[in-house]
Amino acid sequence: MKKIAVFTSGGDSPGMNACVRAVVRTAIFKGLEVYGIYRGYEGMIDGEIKRMHSYSVSNIVQRGGTILKSARSEKFKTPEGRKKAFENLKALGIEGLIAIGGDGTFTGAKIFNEEFGIPVVGCPGTIDNDIYGTDYTIGFDTAVNTALEAIDKIRDTAAAHDRIFFIEVMGRDAGFLAVESGIGGGAEFVMVPETATDLDAVVKSLKNLRKSKSSSIIVVAEGDDEGNAEEIMAKIKSKIKDESKEFKVTTLGHIQRGGNPTARDRVLASRCGMAAVEGLLIGKSSCMAGVMNQEVVYTPFTDCIGKTKPLIEDHLKLIDILSI
Ligand code: ATP
């Protein structure tokens, strides 16, 4: 293998740049020619592919977002789109790919590998931490800390006015972000898609809690089974039926995707990026380079996509016990 290319795809996450940097520099260190594909699969189809040098990734290790840009590509979901993408790679002599993204990105990569045989190794880039085969995903730690900073600030005003605050964090299908920011932020309740939310039980606890506490923080993952934070707040308000209580909702939104990556994310991104290049060179394909129990592991895309990473049981228990 002499030429490889790297791209970022799906939702961006802090640390993607550190990962791109690690891929580019490791590839050059190993004597490879390396290319950057802009705007994910969309740019692969449109031929937005540029040679990268060591200096192309200077001064980006600390930056959020992705210098390669990211996109969602409907065209890549069609056989014609993927054929065009492959022709563009073939014209440049690119023999291996490194895909930085989430499970959607890996689904596309798996299909592409099956159709054209081009080896692809993935790196887990998403703030959701919902990818099987790695303890943490690139961007998760930064997003948790961003959410935490917001929760700390909201707690001040919640306490000052004796309010119940519902804070919505990202997580359509996974509650990792809600759980860790909830534990760190001392939330009274955390509502996540993985477990059924019992609103009556929450109302009962809230009434009990209010005998000892004047304000409460409830962290809601956007994909909770009872709805988003706004909907859950309305349901709880109607059940509590106490006009003297003030309920507020704050949706953190895209602020959670940005910002300088934490040290932990930069290290994880660098490790995964280097491992992805080394993986390609030893013949790995259709798999993701992740880190589990401090060790680099390669997990087949089939498992990354098909298996669900469960929430840590102890974390849920912690929230219950510590909120008394
Ligand atoms: P995040 O978890 O942050 O949303 P992701 O990688 O899961 O990241 P998606 O938007 O789901 O983000 O997927 C990224 C891209 O992967 C899609 O826009 C599409 O181009 C490609 N992709 C996803 N699923 C398929 C599929 N079934 N076939 C071909 N390509 C796909």
Side-chain angles (χ1 to χ4, degrees):
M1 194 174 283
K2 288 269 176 276
K3 292 186 187 182
I4 66 166
V6 57
F7 62 96
T8 50
S9 161
D12 64 306
S13 69
M16 277 184 162
N17 277 327
C19 193
V20 170
R21 171 178 176 269
V23 168
V24 169
R25 296 225 165 135
T26 307
I28 293 169
F29 181 83
K30 302 270 180 189
L32 301 173
E33 250 181 50
V34 58
Y35 290 78
I37 302 170
Y38 289 76
R39 297 191 305 114
Y41 292 122
E42 196 73 358
M44 203 185 285
I45 294 167
D46 295 342
E48 292 177 59
I49 308 171
K50 288 188 193 146
R51 177 88 187 266
M52 311 262 312
H53 305 276
S54 188
Y55 59 79
S56 316
V57 290
S58 295
N59 201 22
I60 65 165
V61 73
Q62 79 284 15
R63 282 167 55 191
T66 159
I67 58 157
L68 292 180
K69 310 266 183 189
S70 191
R72 295 202 152 91
S73 173
E74 283 308 308
K75 283 189 272 181
F76 196 76
K77 292 184 177 170
T78 66
E80 302 75 42
R82 293 193 293 273
K83 185 163 176 284
K84 182 83 181 55
F86 182 67
E87 281 164 3
N88 287 337
L89 299 177
K90 210 170 130 196
L92 288 166
I94 291 165
E95 302 156 289
L97 287 177
I98 291 174
I100 307 168
D103 55 355
T105 300
F106 298 159
T107 305
K110 181 175 172 291
I111 294 170
F112 197 53
N113 169 262
E114 283 161 4
E115 285 176 344
F116 301 101
I118 185 160
V120 192
V121 175
C123 294
T126 168
I127 64 164
D128 293 333
N129 197 31
D130 58 346
I131 298 182
Y132 183 89
T134 189
D135 291 336
Y136 291 103
T137 56
I138 300 161
F140 173 71
D141 188 58
T142 309
V144 169
N145 281 289
T146 302
L148 204 53
E149 213 184 307
I151 292 171
D152 288 348
K153 288 180 176 159
I154 290 167
R155 176 178 284 284
D156 290 345
T157 173
H161 288 272
D162 294 344
R163 285 170 175 158
I164 298 175
F165 259 93
F166 293 80
I167 303 172
E168 184 178 300
V169 299
M170 284 188 170
R172 277 193 304 262
D173 308 304
F176 293 96
L177 193 48
V179 166
E180 291 211 11
S181 60
I183 293 172
E188 270 69 37
F189 303 97
V190 174
M191 300 175 178
V192 293
E194 290 90 337
T195 58
T197 300
D198 182 348
L199 290 185
D200 290 326
V202 173
V203 168
K204 201 169 152 210
S205 303
L206 267 180
K207 283 180 177 165
N208 284 336
L209 271 181
R210 291 188 68 83
K211 290 180 191 138
S212 56
K213 297 184 187 185
S214 56
S215 63
S216 295
I217 300 283
I218 301 170
V219 177
V220 181
E222 62 185 324
D224 186 75
D225 54 306
E226 283 291 345
N228 61 23
E230 200 71 58
E231 289 160 346
I232 290 177
M233 189 270 280
K235 287 179 188 175
I236 288 188
K237 200 173 169 182
S238 72
K239 284 175 189 283
I240 284 193
K241 294 188 193 104
D242 181 348
E243 291 304 318
S244 68
K245 306 285 179 265
E246 263 199 278
F247 298 84
K248 296 280 176 195
V249 172
T250 300
T251 302
L252 300 187
H254 282 80
I255 194 169
Q256 295 161 94
R257 287 255 186 93
N260 297 353
T262 59
R264 200 179 272 253
D265 271 331
R266 296 182 205 191
V267 173
L268 175 65
S270 303
R271 288 190 80 186
C272 292
M274 183 174 89
V277 176
E278 289 178 343
L280 274 182
L281 291 175
I282 56 168
K284 300 270 181 202
S285 181
S286 208
C287 65
M288 178 193 80
V291 174
M292 293 179 90
N293 295 322
Q294 304 294 336
E295 299 286 336
V296 165
V297 283
Y298 297 94
T299 304
F301 280 153
T302 329
D303 290 345
C304 301
I305 301 158
K307 293 190 179 174
T308 305
K309 180 155 93 185
L311 288 176
I312 300 168
E313 284 280 326
D314 267 6
H315 282 180
L316 297 173
K317 199 169 93 185
L318 260 176
I319 295 160
D320 283 345
I321 293 176
L322 302 188
S323 62
I324 54 169

